[in-house]
Amino acid sequence: LPPAAAQALGQARAAAKASLEGAGLDYATALEAAVLCLAALLAAHAVYSLLRALIPARGRGQHLGKAGAPAILAVGTANPPHCWKIEEYTEKVSQTLRGVTSDEYLDFFIGRHENCGIEERKVVLSHREFSDENLAKPAHEREGTFAGAKDPFNPTAEERHALWAEWAPKLAVQAGAAALKTWGGDRRRVTHVVFHSCTGFKAPGCELDIVDGLGLTGVKRRLGINYMGCFGGFTGMSVAKAFVEADPSAVVLLVCVELCSLHFSLSENRSEFIGNTIFSDGAAGVVIGAGGPGDWAIGTQSTHTLGQDTRHHMQWAPTNHWYFMYLDKGIANSLGKALFMNSKSYMRRACNRSSPKDVEWCVHPGGVKILDVFCDPKFMLNLDSHILRHSYETLRNFGNMSSPTIFFVIKHMMEDKETKDRAFCLGFGPGLTIEVAGLYKIGAEGGAEGSKAAAPAEVGEEESSQA
């Protein structure tokens, strides 16, 4: 040791010895006891590690990237047939609502669309409903739920929900069918169906519509999950993974459907209105089961809830007309701070990597401002639009579809020829909550592609924390 360090160590040893002797304790005996305690701890850790290596993975997860681990086997998507270019959508909504809402409302609406990062949306609202011919008619003669509403362009919750009950099962079946087709397996092998939505509900639930519509005769259990918000896809994936961990022969069809356009708000409170400029409609189906070569094993998933001062930042509740959506202007900054402090630890836990360039990034595109946080030098995440291309492209082509959106992002990633073997997935929602999941591609030999030099992390572990 350098002389100064050796002197400091000697002083510390002398102080400890004096303190022990002052308490009537022998220094040598205390030191021996401390060494024995340390040895006992090391031995216990060695036994623990040995048991984890010997005990079967059932119930606690398998190694990331290994064949047989719970994995995404296929992803399929579906959208309503009505595709609106953003310029057309903005112009038509402005034309329709002029005189119904204030000029300030419309100016804000138009301004937000000019910088929303979305080029087109697929929604259940048809062009025919908002055609000049239809709008020229008296309100009671118009076609369409919104155009024909007694309260101008503001249908009741019952009328909006009727559209959800019509379209949600259709899109759920379409997305599920697309996933099963991509998977290519026998649909009679599907043992579980999990469904999520936060834009509507009914009983019997859409999970039964999926079973009936796709002829899934082997289903043992179906489960409906509701109102988790934009991270509902992560919740559904966690549940599906747990089913496969409990029964490695299980094949789960997870479907998320959201019809956000039905909750178009006429509130002139900007935090209640801003959702009109980013949300759209869509569905995703995901087949999850024991993975093989080429599949994406689902790694550690975790939930991180921000401080109590963010509880009000994102709210979602029914009213007599729409589902009230409140989005605080501080959301992006709150998420940015949390990611600045924790993103590397999240990544290490989920992907066994700490460099942003070693993984694919699959971030829920909650809005262009959310994605821009990752590229903002202020938060020092060292990302750019290319690294986030899967998310920016999904936002550009579809908008924010809430819970199914993450699977559109993952699908884009899976189809990219330049994809790395690990993916870092992030979702956001009420709480404020950050959801994290790691994906790990299984190689041709049943191990992770390109990961021979890396110690595999564990899959199947769940955790929750306060961020």
Side-chain angles (χ1 to χ4, degrees), residues 344-416:
K344 286 190 176 181
S345 63
Y346 294 166
M347 189 189 305
R348 281 194 297 269
R349 180 66 175 158
C351 300
N352 199 25
R353 290 287 185 270
S354 57
S355 172
K357 296 183 179 180
D358 287 344
V359 299
E360 293 294 329
W361 284 72
C362 293
V363 178
H364 170 68
V368 71
K369 285 193 172 183
I370 298 294
L371 296 181
D372 287 349
V373 160
F374 289 83
C375 305
D376 189 338
K378 176 174 66 176
F379 297 111
M380 299 174 66
L381 297 174
N382 301 318
L383 302 181
D384 56 40
S385 58
H386 177 73
I387 293 176
L388 293 176
R389 64 192 180 280
H390 310 306
S391 300
Y392 274 112
E393 281 295 300
T394 299
L395 182 68
R396 184 172 67 85
N397 293 322
F398 298 98
N400 179 356
M401 298 163 285
S402 191
S403 66
T405 315
I406 188 60
F407 298 117
F408 280 72
V409 176
I410 290 173
K411 182 173 183 285
H412 188 279
M413 182 271 295
M414 293 168 67
E415 294 172 350
D416 190 332

Side-chain angles (χ1 to χ4, degrees), residues 151 154-160 262-263 318-323:
D151 187 355
N154 191 22
T156 64
E158 181 180 4
E159 291 168 329
R160 296 176 194 239
L262 298 182
H263 300 289
T319 72
N320 290 335
H321 288 273
W322 56 82
Y323 281 8

Side-chain angles (χ1 to χ4, degrees), residues 226-425:
N226 299 97
Y227 299 103
M228 300 302 294
C230 291
F231 64 81
F234 285 82
T235 305
M237 183 165 62
S238 178
V239 170
K241 183 178 71 172
F243 282 139
V244 177
E245 287 178 329
D247 177 6
S249 67
V251 176
V252 184
L253 177 59
L254 164 65
V255 179
C256 299
V257 177
E258 304 294 1
L259 303 179
C260 305
S261 68
L262 298 182
H263 300 289
F264 192 97
S265 168
L266 295 184
S267 170
E268 301 211 4
N269 180 319
R270 293 187 175 186
S271 289
E272 297 174 13
F273 161 79
I274 193 67
N276 294 342
T277 67
I278 59 176
F279 286 107
S280 54
D281 305 340
V286 188
V287 180
I288 295 174
D295 296 325
W296 287 83
I298 304 170
T300 298
Q301 291 186 252
S302 56
T303 300
H304 306 275
T305 308
L306 276 59
Q308 294 188 15
D309 58 325
T310 68
R311 295 290 184 269
H312 70 285
H313 277 16
M314 189 180 297
Q315 299 176 52
W316 187 237
T319 72
N320 290 335
H321 288 273
W322 56 82
Y323 281 8
F324 161 89
M325 165 62 84
Y326 179 88
L327 299 172
D328 192 271
K329 63 182 180 181
I331 289 175
N333 197 51
S334 295
L335 292 175
K337 289 179 180 178
L339 292 167
F340 167 74
M341 296 294 293
N342 302 291
S343 62
K344 286 190 176 181
S345 63
Y346 294 166
M347 189 189 305
R348 281 194 297 269
R349 180 66 175 158
C351 300
N352 199 25
R353 290 287 185 270
S354 57
S355 172
K357 296 183 179 180
D358 287 344
V359 299
E360 293 294 329
W361 284 72
C362 293
V363 178
H364 170 68
V368 71
K369 285 193 172 183
I370 298 294
L371 296 181
D372 287 349
V373 160
F374 289 83
C375 305
D376 189 338
K378 176 174 66 176
F379 297 111
M380 299 174 66
L381 297 174
N382 301 318
L383 302 181
D384 56 40
S385 58
H386 177 73
I387 293 176
L388 293 176
R389 64 192 180 280
H390 310 306
S391 300
Y392 274 112
E393 281 295 300
T394 299
L395 182 68
R396 184 172 67 85
N397 293 322
F398 298 98
N400 179 356
M401 298 163 285
S402 191
S403 66
T405 315
I406 188 60
F407 298 117
F408 280 72
V409 176
I410 290 173
K411 182 173 183 285
H412 188 279
M413 182 271 295
M414 293 168 67
E415 294 172 350
D416 190 332
K417 295 180 180 180
E418 300 178 5
T419 298
K420 300 177 180 68
D421 72 317
R422 304 177 192 217
F424 182 47
C425 306

